[in-house]
PDB file of all heavy atoms in Angstrom:
ATOM      1  N   VAL A  70      16.572  -1.542  34.988  1.00 98.00           N
ATOM      2  CA  VAL A  70      17.741  -0.692  34.980  1.00 98.00           C
ATOM      3  C   VAL A  70      18.432  -0.650  33.584  1.00 98.00           C
ATOM      4  O   VAL A  70      18.302  -1.685  32.871  1.00 98.00           O
ATOM      5  CB  VAL A  70      18.787  -1.155  35.979  1.00 98.00           C
ATOM      6  CG1 VAL A  70      18.225  -1.113  37.359  1.00 98.00           C
ATOM      7  CG2 VAL A  70      19.354  -2.602  35.769  1.00 98.00           C
ATOM      8  N   ILE A 143      22.248  -5.919  38.525  1.00 98.00           N
ATOM      9  CA  ILE A 143      21.441  -6.300  37.460  1.00 98.00           C
ATOM     10  C   ILE A 143      20.831  -7.681  37.682  1.00 98.00           C
ATOM     11  O   ILE A 143      19.926  -8.096  36.931  1.00 98.00           O
ATOM     12  CB  ILE A 143      22.321  -6.313  36.110  1.00 98.00           C
ATOM     13  CG1 ILE A 143      23.388  -7.349  36.161  1.00 98.00           C
ATOM     14  CG2 ILE A 143      22.895  -5.016  35.849  1.00 98.00           C
ATOM     15  CD1 ILE A 143      24.074  -7.582  34.862  1.00 98.00           C
ATOM     16  N   LYS A 144      21.322  -8.238  38.729  1.00 98.00           N
ATOM     17  CA  LYS A 144      20.750  -9.709  38.962  1.00 98.00           C
ATOM     18  C   LYS A 144      19.256  -9.669  39.263  1.00 98.00           C
ATOM     19  O   LYS A 144      18.698  -8.877  40.052  1.00 98.00           O
ATOM     20  CB  LYS A 144      21.395 -10.379  40.230  1.00 98.00           C
ATOM     21  CG  LYS A 144      21.064 -11.773  40.375  1.00 98.00           C
ATOM     22  CD  LYS A 144      21.820 -12.352  41.644  1.00 98.00           C
ATOM     23  CE  LYS A 144      21.418 -13.761  41.803  1.00 98.00           C
ATOM     24  NZ  LYS A 144      22.188 -14.399  42.987  1.00 98.00           N
ATOM     25  N   GLY A 145      18.471 -10.531  38.515  1.00 98.00           N
ATOM     26  CA  GLY A 145      17.099 -10.641  38.658  1.00 98.00           C
ATOM     27  C   GLY A 145      16.173  -9.460  38.150  1.00 98.00           C
ATOM     28  O   GLY A 145      15.073  -9.308  38.432  1.00 98.00           O
ATOM     29  N   ARG A 146      16.825  -8.607  37.357  1.00 98.00           N
ATOM     30  CA  ARG A 146      16.184  -7.406  36.778  1.00 98.00           C
ATOM     31  C   ARG A 146      16.201  -7.315  35.321  1.00 98.00           C
ATOM     32  O   ARG A 146      17.008  -7.971  34.731  1.00 98.00           O
ATOM     33  CB  ARG A 146      16.886  -6.140  37.390  1.00 98.00           C
ATOM     34  CG  ARG A 146      16.717  -6.000  38.872  1.00 98.00           C
ATOM     35  CD  ARG A 146      17.328  -4.625  39.387  1.00 98.00           C
ATOM     36  NE  ARG A 146      16.940  -4.425  40.767  1.00 98.00           N
ATOM     37  CZ  ARG A 146      17.653  -4.879  41.835  1.00 98.00           C
ATOM     38  NH1 ARG A 146      18.723  -5.598  41.690  1.00 98.00           N
ATOM     39  NH2 ARG A 146      17.102  -4.623  43.052  1.00 98.00           N
ATOM     40  N   ILE A 147      15.329  -6.500  34.752  1.00 98.00           N
ATOM     41  CA  ILE A 147      15.242  -6.359  33.354  1.00 98.00           C
ATOM     42  C   ILE A 147      16.375  -5.374  33.053  1.00 98.00           C
ATOM     43  O   ILE A 147      16.505  -4.221  33.602  1.00 98.00           O
ATOM     44  CB  ILE A 147      13.936  -5.657  32.901  1.00 98.00           C
ATOM     45  CG1 ILE A 147      12.746  -6.601  33.198  1.00 98.00           C
ATOM     46  CG2 ILE A 147      13.983  -5.252  31.457  1.00 98.00           C
ATOM     47  CD1 ILE A 147      12.710  -7.852  32.431  1.00 98.00           C
ATOM     48  N   LEU A 148      17.285  -5.771  32.135  1.00 98.00           N
ATOM     49  CA  LEU A 148      18.445  -4.925  31.823  1.00 98.00           C
ATOM     50  C   LEU A 148      18.200  -4.339  30.435  1.00 98.00           C
ATOM     51  O   LEU A 148      17.969  -5.014  29.378  1.00 98.00           O
ATOM     52  CB  LEU A 148      19.703  -5.767  31.732  1.00 98.00           C
ATOM     53  CG  LEU A 148      20.985  -5.124  31.427  1.00 98.00           C
ATOM     54  CD1 LEU A 148      21.306  -3.958  32.395  1.00 98.00           C
ATOM     55  CD2 LEU A 148      22.164  -6.115  31.281  1.00 98.00           C
ATOM     56  N   VAL A 149      18.216  -2.942  30.307  1.00 98.00           N
ATOM     57  CA  VAL A 149      17.921  -2.152  29.179  1.00 98.00           C
ATOM     58  C   VAL A 149      19.294  -1.577  28.729  1.00 98.00           C
ATOM     59  O   VAL A 149      20.147  -1.250  29.576  1.00 98.00           O
ATOM     60  CB  VAL A 149      16.962  -1.105  29.407  1.00 98.00           C
ATOM     61  CG1 VAL A 149      16.608  -0.298  28.115  1.00 98.00           C
ATOM     62  CG2 VAL A 149      15.670  -1.697  30.066  1.00 98.00           C
ATOM     63  N   LEU A 153      23.854  -4.421  24.130  1.00 98.00           N
ATOM     64  CA  LEU A 153      24.290  -4.932  25.538  1.00 98.00           C
ATOM     65  C   LEU A 153      25.198  -6.098  25.377  1.00 98.00           C
ATOM     66  O   LEU A 153      25.963  -6.283  26.387  1.00 98.00           O
ATOM     67  CB  LEU A 153      22.923  -5.445  26.170  1.00 98.00           C
ATOM     68  CG  LEU A 153      22.054  -4.310  26.782  1.00 98.00           C
ATOM     69  CD1 LEU A 153      20.623  -4.908  27.263  1.00 98.00           C
ATOM     70  CD2 LEU A 153      22.750  -3.701  27.917  1.00 98.00           C
ATOM     71  N   HIS A 164      23.749 -12.457  31.270  1.00 98.00           N
ATOM     72  CA  HIS A 164      22.447 -12.110  31.717  1.00 98.00           C
ATOM     73  C   HIS A 164      21.397 -12.908  31.013  1.00 98.00           C
ATOM     74  O   HIS A 164      21.554 -13.112  29.773  1.00 98.00           O
ATOM     75  CB  HIS A 164      22.147 -10.578  31.558  1.00 98.00           C
ATOM     76  CG  HIS A 164      21.102 -10.064  32.502  1.00 98.00           C
ATOM     77  ND1 HIS A 164      21.282  -9.900  33.814  1.00 98.00           N
ATOM     78  CD2 HIS A 164      19.977  -9.635  32.225  1.00 98.00           C
ATOM     79  CE1 HIS A 164      20.163  -9.419  34.384  1.00 98.00           C
ATOM     80  NE2 HIS A 164      19.357  -9.192  33.415  1.00 98.00           N
ATOM     81  N   PRO A 165      20.338 -13.414  31.721  1.00 96.00           N
ATOM     82  CA  PRO A 165      19.331 -14.230  31.040  1.00 96.00           C
ATOM     83  C   PRO A 165      18.857 -13.440  29.768  1.00 96.00           C
ATOM     84  O   PRO A 165      18.431 -12.266  29.883  1.00 96.00           O
ATOM     85  CB  PRO A 165      18.168 -14.440  32.099  1.00 96.00           C
ATOM     86  CG  PRO A 165      18.995 -14.308  33.343  1.00 96.00           C
ATOM     87  CD  PRO A 165      20.039 -13.266  33.074  1.00 96.00           C
ATOM     88  N   LYS A 166      18.735 -14.138  28.679  1.00 95.00           N
ATOM     89  CA  LYS A 166      18.278 -13.506  27.376  1.00 95.00           C
ATOM     90  C   LYS A 166      16.937 -12.995  27.509  1.00 95.00           C
ATOM     91  O   LYS A 166      16.555 -11.889  26.975  1.00 95.00           O
ATOM     92  CB  LYS A 166      18.301 -14.589  26.243  1.00 95.00           C
ATOM     93  CG  LYS A 166      18.112 -13.954  24.966  1.00 95.00           C
ATOM     94  CD  LYS A 166      18.286 -14.978  23.811  1.00 95.00           C
ATOM     95  CE  LYS A 166      18.173 -14.354  22.441  1.00 95.00           C
ATOM     96  NZ  LYS A 166      18.309 -15.438  21.376  1.00 95.00           N
ATOM     97  N   GLU A 167      16.050 -13.620  28.268  1.00 95.00           N
ATOM     98  CA  GLU A 167      14.597 -13.172  28.479  1.00 95.00           C
ATOM     99  C   GLU A 167      14.466 -11.925  29.213  1.00 95.00           C
ATOM    100  O   GLU A 167      13.448 -11.293  29.216  1.00 95.00           O
ATOM    101  CB  GLU A 167      13.720 -14.290  29.020  1.00 95.00           C
ATOM    102  CG  GLU A 167      14.056 -14.726  30.473  1.00 95.00           C
ATOM    103  CD  GLU A 167      15.069 -15.898  30.458  1.00 95.00           C
ATOM    104  OE1 GLU A 167      15.776 -16.141  29.388  1.00 95.00           O
ATOM    105  OE2 GLU A 167      15.096 -16.505  31.450  1.00 95.00           O
ATOM    106  N   ASP A 168      15.639 -11.533  29.981  1.00 97.00           N
ATOM    107  CA  ASP A 168      15.574 -10.282  30.747  1.00 97.00           C
ATOM    108  C   ASP A 168      16.360  -9.134  30.005  1.00 97.00           C
ATOM    109  O   ASP A 168      16.569  -8.150  30.583  1.00 97.00           O
ATOM    110  CB  ASP A 168      16.199 -10.619  32.089  1.00 97.00           C
ATOM    111  CG  ASP A 168      15.284 -11.386  32.970  1.00 97.00           C
ATOM    112  OD1 ASP A 168      14.111 -11.546  32.699  1.00 97.00           O
ATOM    113  OD2 ASP A 168      15.872 -12.063  33.920  1.00 97.00           O
ATOM    114  N   LEU A 169      16.695  -9.418  28.838  1.00 98.00           N
ATOM    115  CA  LEU A 169      17.389  -8.303  28.058  1.00 98.00           C
ATOM    116  C   LEU A 169      16.489  -7.541  27.192  1.00 98.00           C
ATOM    117  O   LEU A 169      15.673  -8.097  26.534  1.00 98.00           O
ATOM    118  CB  LEU A 169      18.560  -8.921  27.176  1.00 98.00           C
ATOM    119  CG  LEU A 169      19.744  -9.609  27.962  1.00 98.00           C
ATOM    120  CD1 LEU A 169      20.646 -10.247  26.824  1.00 98.00           C
ATOM    121  CD2 LEU A 169      20.480  -8.597  28.726  1.00 98.00           C
ATOM    122  N   ARG A 170      16.604  -6.200  27.274  1.00 98.00           N
ATOM    123  CA  ARG A 170      15.731  -5.291  26.362  1.00 98.00           C
ATOM    124  C   ARG A 170      16.794  -4.386  25.617  1.00 98.00           C
ATOM    125  O   ARG A 170      17.119  -3.272  26.044  1.00 98.00           O
ATOM    126  CB  ARG A 170      14.785  -4.465  27.233  1.00 98.00           C
ATOM    127  CG  ARG A 170      13.838  -5.349  28.051  1.00 98.00           C
ATOM    128  CD  ARG A 170      12.910  -6.164  27.267  1.00 98.00           C
ATOM    129  NE  ARG A 170      12.000  -6.926  28.062  1.00 98.00           N
ATOM    130  CZ  ARG A 170      12.262  -8.106  28.492  1.00 98.00           C
ATOM    131  NH1 ARG A 170      13.298  -8.759  28.189  1.00 98.00           N
ATOM    132  NH2 ARG A 170      11.304  -8.714  29.235  1.00 98.00           N
ATOM    133  N   ASP A 171      17.184  -4.906  24.522  1.00 98.00           N
ATOM    134  CA  ASP A 171      18.264  -4.204  23.672  1.00 98.00           C
ATOM    135  C   ASP A 171      17.635  -3.353  22.596  1.00 98.00           C
ATOM    136  O   ASP A 171      17.015  -4.025  21.745  1.00 98.00           O
ATOM    137  CB  ASP A 171      19.241  -5.338  23.234  1.00 98.00           C
ATOM    138  CG  ASP A 171      20.625  -4.683  22.767  1.00 98.00           C
ATOM    139  OD1 ASP A 171      20.505  -3.489  22.276  1.00 98.00           O
ATOM    140  OD2 ASP A 171      21.624  -5.300  22.875  1.00 98.00           O
ATOM    141  N   VAL A 229       7.921 -10.080  23.780  1.00 95.00           N
ATOM    142  CA  VAL A 229       8.776 -11.054  24.525  1.00 95.00           C
ATOM    143  C   VAL A 229       7.952 -12.326  24.985  1.00 95.00           C
ATOM    144  O   VAL A 229       8.411 -13.451  24.814  1.00 95.00           O
ATOM    145  CB  VAL A 229       9.404 -10.377  25.716  1.00 95.00           C
ATOM    146  CG1 VAL A 229      10.140 -11.422  26.597  1.00 95.00           C
ATOM    147  CG2 VAL A 229      10.428  -9.325  25.252  1.00 95.00           C
TER     148      VAL A 229
END
Side-chain angles (χ1 to χ4, degrees):
V70 295
I143 68 175
K144 186 177 180 180
R146 293 183 168 88
I147 298 294
L148 182 60
V149 182
L153 283 169
H164 201 69
K166 190 174 181 180
E167 62 270 20
D168 290 339
L169 293 176
R170 303 293 181 269
D171 196 329
V229 171

